[in-house]
Amino acid sequence: MADTSARTLKLLSIFGTGAALTAAELAARLGVSPRTVRRDIDTLRDLGYDIEAVRGAGGGYRLGPATRLPPVVFDEDQAVAAAVALQTVPAVLSGVRENASRALATLHRAMPARSRLHAEAFTVSAARNYWEFPAPPIDAEIVRAIGTAIGRRHLVRAEYTGDGEPVTLTLEPHDLVVWAARWYLVAYAREAAGWRAMRVDRITPRAPTHTPFERRDVPCGDPVAFVMTTHDRGDVAAEWPCRGSAVLALPASVVARFAPGGSTVEYRTHGSCRLTLGAWSWPGLAGLLLTFDADITDIEPAELRGALRSLRTRIGEGLRAGPGG
């Protein structure tokens, strides 16, 4: 009976997304047979929920438009996801720690005992990922201002601090992207008549413009792909004990996609770019460069060149000593 109730609750949460799904699709999500799904749908109908049958190609079942769900309907997996998200959000947004803690406490109180036990198993302690040096948490008010402009499709006037003096830009904000623990705005800059991927921590919005704009097609067809392949997105080289650079015989967009966090990519030619990055040791830094499997030139500083020579010698000796060497 408990399994049936848990499954019915999960089915209700799936219907809460508003999608129309076939019995086979619902069965695959729940790990049961289509016949069991139909019985669970009858159970929900007996409880007063309006579950519509959508006929024709692509039909299935969906929640009726007049149906009101309870204030909180989380299945076990959703509860865990929400609890983890509420614990980690202060790492990327400032000014929300107290609100996130209160929301997490409310969520715990609303959970059944079993779901609460599973969620608490994912309690997150403050930890530092030493392979990444993310920017400090973003001011939640800045994210709210930009996010509101995106939702309303209103122009944003903002100060942007790049490599030089701050500049005032008129932006058509399209999407916010969080990648490698950093916030980026994907926007069309009217002054430059071009698309930009911009670090949100360098943006200071002015007062709302209330001026609408028509949404454009984002480059790459996807804002995340655009951010990941844009080399001049405002990143700066992180502080490491060892830091160096080299010119790689690869397009800047390719290197930007796979460069470690805290590195910078500088466009040189259509097929080459300079990558600046850091590591705990010079051999470690040399190893990171080699992972790109491309010709490298103009290597700086001398310590990095020495580490590459040392690796070449060690690899050569290993190959000669090994089977068939």
Side-chain angles (χ1 to χ4, degrees):
M1 182 66 180
D3 288 343
T4 301
S5 299
R7 191 179 62 246
T8 304
L9 177 61
K10 186 168 185 176
L11 178 61
L12 183 59
S13 71
I14 293 172
F15 281 132
T17 65
L21 299 171
T22 65
E25 290 170 330
L26 292 167
R29 292 199 183 189
L30 296 170
V32 296
S33 68
R35 182 178 179 181
T36 299
V37 167
R38 294 187 182 94
R39 283 205 304 266
D40 289 344
I41 289 174
D42 288 339
T43 298
L44 288 174
R45 286 169 171 164
D46 290 341
L47 292 171
Y49 292 101
D50 179 20
I51 310 298
E52 295 181 339
V54 182
R55 305 190 182 280
Y61 297 95
R62 69 185 177 197
L63 201 62
T67 302
R68 293 178 59 87
L69 292 177
V72 178
V73 180
F74 281 151
D75 61 39
E76 200 164 276
D77 293 338
Q78 288 176 316
V80 169
V84 171
L86 286 168
Q87 291 177 82
T88 56
V89 69
V92 292
L93 279 177
S94 66
V96 298
R97 184 176 298 277
E98 181 182 349
N99 290 337
S101 296
R102 290 193 297 108
L104 182 61
T106 301
L107 179 62
H108 279 172
R109 287 194 298 270
M111 288 180 186
R114 174 173 163 171
S115 295
R116 183 165 58 250
L117 185 64
H118 279 264
E120 289 173 350
F122 285 81
T123 298
V124 178
S125 299
R128 178 83 182 204
N129 179 356
Y130 285 103
W131 288 104
E132 296 282 352
F133 281 77
I138 301 297
D139 187 340
E141 289 303 318
I142 293 178
V143 174
R144 182 179 291 111
I146 295 175
T148 299
I150 291 172
R152 295 176 178 174
R153 297 187 183 179
H154 286 175
L155 293 177
V156 168
R157 290 283 289 171
E159 301 289 332
Y160 184 67
T161 305
D163 296 330
E165 293 295 319
V167 294
T168 302
L169 299 174
T170 302
L171 304 170
E172 299 175 7
H174 280 65
D175 295 276
L176 283 169
V177 174
V178 179
W179 183 63
R182 295 167 177 84
W183 287 79
Y184 298 90
L185 170 64
V186 175
Y188 185 85
R190 291 196 167 183
E191 288 82 0
W195 286 93
R196 298 284 301 273
M198 311 166 69
R199 286 275 293 268
V200 175
D201 56 340
R202 298 186 172 194
I203 298 174
T204 304
R206 292 185 174 179
T209 67
H210 304 293
T211 303
F213 68 90
E214 292 295 324
R215 187 172 176 87
R216 305 172 188 260
D217 293 331
V218 176
C220 304
D222 175 25
V224 175
F226 176 64
V227 168
M228 292 168 61
T229 56
T230 298
H231 71 278
D232 57 345
R233 53 189 173 228
D235 292 334
V236 295
E239 292 296 329
W240 288 92
C242 303
R243 190 163 67 180
S245 68
V247 173
L248 278 64
L250 286 172
S253 60
V254 173
V255 176
R257 168 67 180 86
F258 297 103
S263 59
T264 62
V265 180
E266 176 188 352
Y267 178 90
R268 296 293 292 270
T269 68
H270 178 70
S272 69
C273 63
R274 175 173 287 280
L275 173 64
T276 301
L277 71 172
W280 290 113
S281 67
W282 293 112
L285 182 54
L288 288 173
L289 283 175
L290 295 178
T291 61
F292 285 89
D293 192 24
D295 293 339
I296 55 177
T297 56
D298 198 10
I299 303 163
E300 295 291 345
E303 290 86 348
L304 179 54
R305 295 194 295 270
L308 286 164
R309 292 190 189 98
S310 177
L311 287 177
R312 179 181 62 186
T313 300
R314 291 179 180 180
I315 292 170
E317 291 175 350
L319 290 172
R320 285 191 296 272

